[in-house]
Amino acid sequence: MVYLDHHATTPLDPRVLAAMMPYLTGKFGNAASRNHKFGWEAEQAVDESRKQIARLIGASPREIIFTSGATESDNLAIKGVAEAYAGQGDHVITCAIEHKAVLDVCRKLEQRGARVTRLPVGRDGLVDPGAMEAAIGERTVLVSIMYANNEVGAIQPVAEIGRICRERGVLFHSDAAQAVGKVPVDVDADYIDLLSISAHKMYGPKGAGALYVRRRDPRVQLTAQMDGGGHERGMRSGTLNVPGIVGLGEACAICGREMDEESARLRRLRDRLRAKLEAELEEVSINGSMEHRLPHNLNMSFAYVEAESLMMAMSGVAVSSGSACTSATMEPSYVLRAMGVADDAARTSIRFGLGRFNTEEEVDYAAASAIEAVKSLRELSPLYDMAKGGKWFK
Ligand SMILES: *Cc1c(COP(=O)(O)O)cnc(C)c1O
């Protein structure tokens, strides 16, 4: 089975596992234990991870708060800021194609009385920074715009958005679960105040993540969402997941060293996949910008072919569709819908997400498999036949 669903999760890099292993076995100490070597050892490992993460995003180690993943980081960032700054305002700006971990948190804030603006995106999947600026008002406390989208790979104009937020005195949070380790991220150059990170999207373990929280110019205040022993400077209580944290740190170190080469390789493979599909199939279209896009992402619509049938026919390839099978109805992706993709086209969309361990042979196999599946499904499609003025309707 060829795995091309790296936006959903990535396999653990064996080097990451090797770094974690001692902390799953002999070095089992609690990083908060101050009285013996077991604790010191764990604390030292946690400190090293903080440095590794900070280095990858241009932060200082003291600005890294460990969490269970990007969902928790998004919750802590958005709810934490909304509560801490409630005296200054109650308006949050986000965009229509955020991950549910941001959209559902914003909906919760709305239920608690806050006001939320959801910016539209263009056909390319990008937010217009001018529209963002126009939405800022007296009561705006936070802008939350993702770094890169998990369905179409669109990379937002983060630095521009961040610069405007800084000028206007509004905090800027970015969900960077899909971007960190894949494209260069620098919290200073991008004027980011809070940044969500997930280990399992970057060849680290599941259940580990981090939130970057700026400490200077401006110093961000956060209300904790998890109360208890006061870990992580009181922002996130709970015994630290030392093996997970060590894994996240090692994953960051590897990405930092290998990102340039890996991005170039995956971009070449992604473009190869695209070229093969476009050469062999008619009536295919790409969703989202090719220019401002993660190098390992391809999202394509195959007219007349339902994504679910296509995935079934491509049984040797793991990909994802733009639609979510909820109950009996097939809801087209809200991301594609927000981009103005027609429901019909959205229902035929497939997301290909390439990753570190994919080979050229695997990509060629996936391309051949998709081409064969699309051709045979179209053979069976009366709609396709009719569109081609075909035999059934003569
Ligand atoms: C995967 C993902 C999340 C959720 O991350 P978890 O670590 O699984 O909680 C949030 N945002 C984006 C953009 C993602 O891709």
Side-chain angles (χ1 to χ4, degrees), residues 27-288:
K27 300 185 179 188
F28 58 83
N30 185 328
S33 297
R34 290 281 153 79
N35 313 316
H36 47 68
K37 182 161 175 286
F38 294 91
W40 303 332
E41 216 164 52
E43 189 187 19
Q44 208 168 17
V46 168
D47 286 346
E48 178 58 24
S49 171
R50 243 186 259 284
K51 284 185 203 151
Q52 291 168 314
I53 300 164
R55 198 173 301 136
L56 184 62
I57 61 169
S60 129
R62 299 204 305 165
E63 298 175 306
I64 305 300
I65 304 292
F66 289 111
T67 67
S68 62
T71 299
E72 187 188 338
S73 296
D74 290 343
N75 271 265
L76 176 55
I78 301 170
K79 290 174 180 163
V81 164
E83 289 176 27
Y85 292 82
Q88 280 164 248
D90 56 1
H91 178 225
V92 174
I93 299 172
T94 184
C95 86
I97 64 167
E98 293 291 317
H99 192 273
K100 289 288 184 196
V102 167
L103 291 178
D104 286 4
V105 170
C106 288
R107 176 156 348 119
K108 178 68 66 73
L109 292 182
E110 239 168 9
Q111 287 163 0
R112 294 178 185 169
R115 203 160 59 77
V116 176
T117 300
R118 294 169 188 81
L119 297 170
V121 294
R123 190 75 196 202
D124 50 10
L126 301 180
V127 166
D128 171 9
M132 191 278 301
E133 181 163 24
I136 295 177
E138 283 293 306
R139 305 280 296 164
T140 310
V141 289
L142 179 71
V143 170
S144 179
I145 302 287
M146 70 202 319
Y147 211 107
N149 180 265
N150 45 300
E151 286 191 34
V152 295
I155 300 174
Q156 299 296 340
V158 168
E160 225 180 313
I161 291 169
R163 191 179 46 76
I164 295 168
C165 289
R166 188 68 52 85
E167 277 169 16
R168 302 289 301 267
V170 174
L171 294 177
F172 177 37
H173 164 249
S174 188
D175 176 346
Q178 294 289 343
V180 168
K182 318 292 171 54
V183 293
V185 171
D186 184 308
V187 291
D188 284 339
D190 295 333
Y191 304 94
I192 290 167
D193 300 313
L194 303 114
L195 184 95
S196 300
I197 300 174
S198 175
H200 77 96
K201 302 287 177 72
M202 49 190 298
Y203 310 95
K206 291 166 183 61
L211 179 66
Y212 158 79
V213 184
R214 182 172 290 279
R215 274 173 71 95
R216 296 184 51 195
D217 310 317
R219 181 184 180 89
V220 176
Q221 310 291 324
L222 265 194
T223 300
Q225 301 298 305
M226 189 73 80
D227 298 309
H231 307 76
E232 299 299 272
R233 297 179 14 238
M235 291 190 196
R236 201 277 194 179
S237 287
T239 299
L240 292 178
N241 168 10
V242 178
I245 287 167
V246 168
L248 172 56
E250 188 61 24
C252 286
I254 295 170
C255 285
R257 287 196 301 270
E258 302 181 356
M259 183 189 313
D260 291 351
E261 206 178 318
E262 182 165 288
S263 298
R265 190 183 77 89
L266 293 181
R267 184 186 305 275
R268 192 180 58 75
L269 289 181
R270 189 269 314 271
D271 291 345
R272 181 182 175 94
L273 174 63
R274 174 194 177 184
K276 281 178 181 271
L277 295 172
E278 287 182 335
E280 288 292 323
L281 297 169
E282 46 180 29
E283 300 206 47
V284 298
S285 53
I286 291 179
N287 298 307

